[in-house]
Amino acid sequence: MKQDQKQNKKQIRKMHWFLLLTTILILSIFSSALTGSAGLSIGDSFRMFVSEIPILGKWVSIAETQSVYHKIVWEIRMPRIMMAGLTGYGLSVVGVAFQGIFKNPLADPHILGTSSGAALGATLAIMAGSVFPMTGLGLIGASAFLTSMLTVLLVYRIACTGNRLSSVNMILTGTAVSMMLSSFISLMMSLNHDQIEKVYLWTLGSFSAAGWEKVIFLFILILPSSMGILFFAKELDAISTGDETAESLGIDTVRVRKIIILLASLMVAACVSVSGIIGFVGLVVPHVMRLISGPKNKILLPLSGVGGAVFVIFCDTLARNLIAPSELPVGVITALIGAPYFVILLQRNKRKLGNG
Amino acid sequence: MSEKRTISTNQLYWKPEKQDPFILEHVESTFEKGYIYGIIGPNGSGKTSLIRNLLRLVEPSSGSVELDGENIQSIKRKHLARKMAMVPQHTGMDSTFCAYDIVMMGRAPYQKRFADAGVQDKEIVKEAMQITDCYQFREKEVSLLSGGEIQRVATARAIAQDTDWLILDEPTASLDVRHQVALMESLVGLKENQNKSVIIILHDINIASEYCDRIVMMKDGTIYSQGDTKEVLTCENLEETYGIAFHLIMEPDTGKRYFMPAGKRGGTL
């Protein structure tokens, strides 16, 4: 049947895109590992990289190169690249999920106030760190994670009326709470001038304080949660066409929403607490991927995840190499690339994203 | 004893929030399988609220809704979705899914979680779209369709859900005359050929008169009258419910009845 053939071709094409993106991801991990400000030659970086790969490693001898080079590739660059990839993956998946649940093409991971909550926690920790000389990043991260989850709970409680949860209510409440927290943060910053730079830089987003423990933390929180969201791909499809319709199809929309928001918030809280607020990834990547894969979440979710990982690894590579040995905050790069691209997308798809 | 397939409401009361007044009060009705029921009544009389209670989109404040004698609150949603399908009033579909995908969602209650559409699913979807005359734009994005076209796609989805009961909320609202008639004719066809039962909210009294076997006439959140169309649709009942006078015009040879609104109560044409 002609219809079947067409459908099969479409499926195959989407698989091709997925494989292509995954290949690009591996390549970007690889090439990013080869670049850096530490003065390693590409050849040295290459050897260091390959030496840890199970089978290929035997072919490479690293005896002549300094052990510190190994450290640079595997303890500084690779964790950072992994963090960037996982963050990009997580934020993009959440972006897709939120755009579906809230039926809003402008929804992004930060819409429920998770990131403002995290920023507040980080600010408090940084301020506290100046008063009590406690350890830096562990406390900041933990504090940020805690406050971001509390913020989501707060937004959820405020927005819920009875058992019904309206998308508009949640978004408005999230926005309001975000603004409230931001102004509180500004207040604290104005009362503690010497900490302004630290807080500000934290909120701009950066992967410079990377480490394998953070990678594992991200991995444990992000991968299973994203699988959980993928589990509800069909429900997400139906919910994005209307709550009542989805319910009449047998979907418990209240329960599905709760679960997805919970999983998504875990992912965003993890990302933000580890590396600050990185914007535009969760907003732009889903739209770009949707042009390739169409709106079905079964394909859009993983595709956006991989696409987001590539994007953020790319941005972070730029962030740490453009003005080497200095660094730009990666959140700035994602915004500088993401925002103009988003405008271009809007121009091209005026009808689809906005008014018919 | 043959089991009668019914949806029934028992002393149903409903209001949206605790502090609101009751929208539905003491609604007692039984819908029997094999008929086309028309629900009519003025705006705000509770028609949409009634079917939302029937579909378990909301929970009754007191009383119950029963499907084949079983309280729907205790039936698994997925099983309920295999018995009742809905065509909502405002489909609000500005998504980027194509019409075909939307209709295929109607097969969700039967599909396994990660499974793709099977051969049977595809056949059912195609047939459903042909019944409502929307198969030709199956590849088109719904956000680019007209209101009437979207309505037909939503109806096709409900048909594809392959249920005993089809419940439609004013589906004829944005349809032109030809498609209005086509929809009603297809509902009659579904009743006779596929043994489906229909509950449909209508604004047009004459369409109700022509196509519905039974009528549920609502007023102020309760049922004013229900039963066979010929018995319920009378000028007196209509005047009581709608607050305006009606004239009945009968076609002598066919027995068809047409109701014409007559302006102010007691006023002349």
Side-chain angles (χ1 to χ4, degrees), chain A residues 38-41 44-45 47-48 51 61-74:
Chain A
L40 268 73
S41 71
D44 282 339
S45 307
R47 277 204 295 275
M48 288 300 132
S51 68
S61 118
I62 55 172
E64 303 103 54
T65 29
Q66 295 174 319
S67 62
V68 70
Y69 286 8
H70 187 269
K71 237 193 169 179
I72 291 175
V73 172
W74 282 100

Side-chain angles (χ1 to χ4, degrees), chain A residues 4 231 234 244-245 248 298, chain B residues 52 113 115-116 122 157:
Chain A
D4 269 346
F231 185 75
K234 271 210 179 124
E244 294 211 322
T245 319
S248 73
K298 198 165 97 174
Chain B
R52 287 169 89 210
R113 182 165 292 279
D116 279 325
K122 292 183 187 173
R157 177 180 53 203

Side-chain angles (χ1 to χ4, degrees), chain A residues 93-115:
Chain A
V93 167
V94 172
V96 173
F98 278 1
Q99 283 168 11
I101 285 201
F102 298 121
K103 300 181 251 303
N104 190 327
L106 284 181
D108 81 344
H110 309 299
I111 205 173
L112 290 183
T114 345
S115 33

Side-chain angles (χ1 to χ4, degrees), chain B residues 229-249:
Chain B
T229 307
K230 289 236 166 74
E231 287 168 19
V232 174
L233 282 186
T234 63
C235 283
E236 299 79 37
N237 282 344
L238 285 171
E239 276 182 37
E240 266 303 313
T241 315
Y242 284 95
I244 57 172
F246 282 86
H247 285 283
L248 170 59
I249 300 169

Side-chain angles (χ1 to χ4, degrees), chain B residues 40-47 203 217-220 240-243:
Chain B
I40 63 174
N43 292 336
S45 53
K47 309 188 294 290
H203 259 336
M217 193 184 278
M218 294 194 72
K219 181 185 176 185
D220 294 332
E240 266 303 313
T241 315
Y242 284 95

Side-chain angles (χ1 to χ4, degrees), chain A residues 327-341:
Chain A
E327 273 197 26
L328 290 167
V330 67
V332 169
I333 309 274
T334 57
L336 282 177
I337 299 181
Y341 197 82

